[in-house]
Amino acid sequence: MDNILITGGAGFIGANFVRHVRSNYPAANIVVLDLLTYAGSKANIEDVERITFVKGNICDQDLVCSLLHKYSIDTIVHFAAESHVDRSISAPDQFIDTNILGTYSLLKAAKEKWLDGTGEQEHRFHHVSTDEVFGSLGPHDPAFSETTPYAPNSPYSASKASSDHLVRSYHHTFGLQITTTNCSNNYGPYQFPEKLIPLFVINALHGRKLPIYGDGQNVRDWLYVEDHCRAIDLVLNKGQVGETYNVGGGEELPNLTVVEEICSGVDAIFAGNPELNQRFPDAPPARGGKCDSLKVYVEDRLGHDRRYAIDERKIHSELGYSPVNDFRNGFRKTLAWYIDNEQWWRGLMQN
Ligand code: NAD
């Protein structure tokens, strides 16, 4: 991992991973390739030292090839994607372009650089994917393992499933040194405020409604983003080439429980910090109320998967991975970050 290309490194997980690599591999040369869509921002990584930032599209194979050669890239960690399920339902085209064709473009460029020349080079192509490719579980079904058959239900998860298959095929057909991780719902600093946790925190701070899909009983496994970054690092260093690893946070929670944690967390932080009453005068606790009063139930998302759960025995037993942060601890840190970084999210919301 001397010269690493991180695609989507200005997005939520990518930016956290850029920080992780910078702190843990001080000598690594980091190149970030990111199109800076609505979900990406240079502000997410502007304080990270010694990175080369390239604004560009992963679908531009000539650009990708030139970067691989110019910077002698030996490792690609591929985060770039369209990632929001709701947007994939209202406007799927971009998901097909970026998630499928973009991954294909990267694979072709990687093959050209690492396999087609004279003498194969040491390399790794790590693909970051999602547990949503496995579909939906019933309440008593066993958790998703690496051998669970794929059954994607949304255009987002179908596009990610397709990219996973392409990555797998480039290993089996051409010998590209790949690894893939399929992870659960991430949360933490730098997450764009369209996803549940940052959106509801910011809504609560403004006294806006907290719209809960359906009956609020859809279950997800929640993974603190720093734990995810550690897991990818372990897979890069110790994972078996050609293998996939499921990564989770070890905690299944219904959405309603997550919303209740957000409400009680925001109430508690106001109770311990009276200065917040002036900064966020419309938040219920600033007016003697409780954030719980903001909850409303709305029509369920089309095709909403009921339950996701991760069986992480493989990554635990083979690589020694366990999440360090339980949801309560991870959420406490996340909430503190959003309170301390008001300028960051206000800046994004003006665009
Ligand atoms: P994100 O939407 O926050 O960031 C995506 C980044 O990719 C943005 O910076 C965006 O500008 C960039 N990008 C989009 N299209 C591009 C293109 N064509 N070329 C170059 N850059 C492009 O996403 P995220 O939440 O950080 O997710 C990162 C990866 O992890 C994705 O592949 C996603 O499928 C996967 N994943 C995310 C979660 C989650 O909970 N967030 C869970 C499982 C898997």
Side-chain angles (χ1 to χ4, degrees), residues 24-198:
N24 292 279
Y25 300 90
N29 296 312
I30 302 174
V31 180
V32 172
L33 173 62
D34 197 299
L35 189 57
L36 297 181
T37 65
Y38 78 94
S41 169
K42 269 181 98 172
N44 296 356
I45 46 174
E46 70 192 352
D47 58 324
V48 183
E49 290 173 358
R50 293 178 290 110
I51 55 173
T52 302
F53 180 82
V54 179
K55 181 177 176 193
N57 195 330
I58 55 168
C59 297
D60 181 347
Q61 202 196 328
D62 290 342
L63 170 66
V64 178
C65 277
S66 73
L67 295 177
L68 297 186
H69 285 278
K70 180 171 178 189
Y71 296 104
S72 304
I73 297 296
D74 53 42
T75 305
I76 296 175
V77 182
H78 175 33
F79 294 95
E82 289 292 332
S83 69
H84 191 42
V85 177
D86 288 344
R87 286 179 189 257
S88 84
I89 295 167
S90 56
D93 289 5
Q94 200 55 51
F95 288 71
I96 307 305
D97 290 347
T98 291
N99 299 2
I100 304 178
L101 298 179
T103 302
Y104 180 49
S105 148
L106 285 176
L107 288 166
K108 283 194 289 181
K111 175 174 174 290
E112 187 273 330
K113 165 76 170 83
W114 293 328
L115 302 178
D116 291 349
T118 46
E120 190 180 317
Q121 296 170 289
E122 271 295 298
H123 66 269
R124 177 68 68 86
F125 186 111
H126 182 75
H127 177 54
V128 179
S129 190
T130 169
D131 61 356
E132 301 194 26
V133 297
F134 300 118
S136 184
L137 293 170
H140 306 297
D141 289 340
F144 300 134
S145 78
E146 289 76 3
T147 55
T148 301
Y150 274 31
N153 289 324
S154 71
Y156 164 66
S157 54
S159 67
K160 292 296 292 188
S162 179
S163 67
D164 293 8
H165 292 319
L166 283 169
V167 171
R168 176 189 161 90
S169 76
Y170 264 66
H171 172 66
H172 284 273
T173 305
F174 302 113
L176 197 71
Q177 310 280 290
I178 64 106
T179 40
T180 295
T181 40
N182 294 87
C183 68
S184 58
N185 276 31
N186 283 226
Y187 65 100
Y190 300 102
Q191 187 165 32
F192 190 82
E194 66 183 350
K195 303 277 170 68
L196 191 144
I197 289 179

Side-chain angles (χ1 to χ4, degrees), residues 210 256 259-260 263-264 267 284-285 289-296:
L210 306 178
L256 189 58
V259 175
E260 284 165 357
C263 290
S264 57
D267 291 344
K290 298 227 176 272
C291 290
D292 209 51
S293 61
L294 301 173
K295 285 185 332 208
V296 285

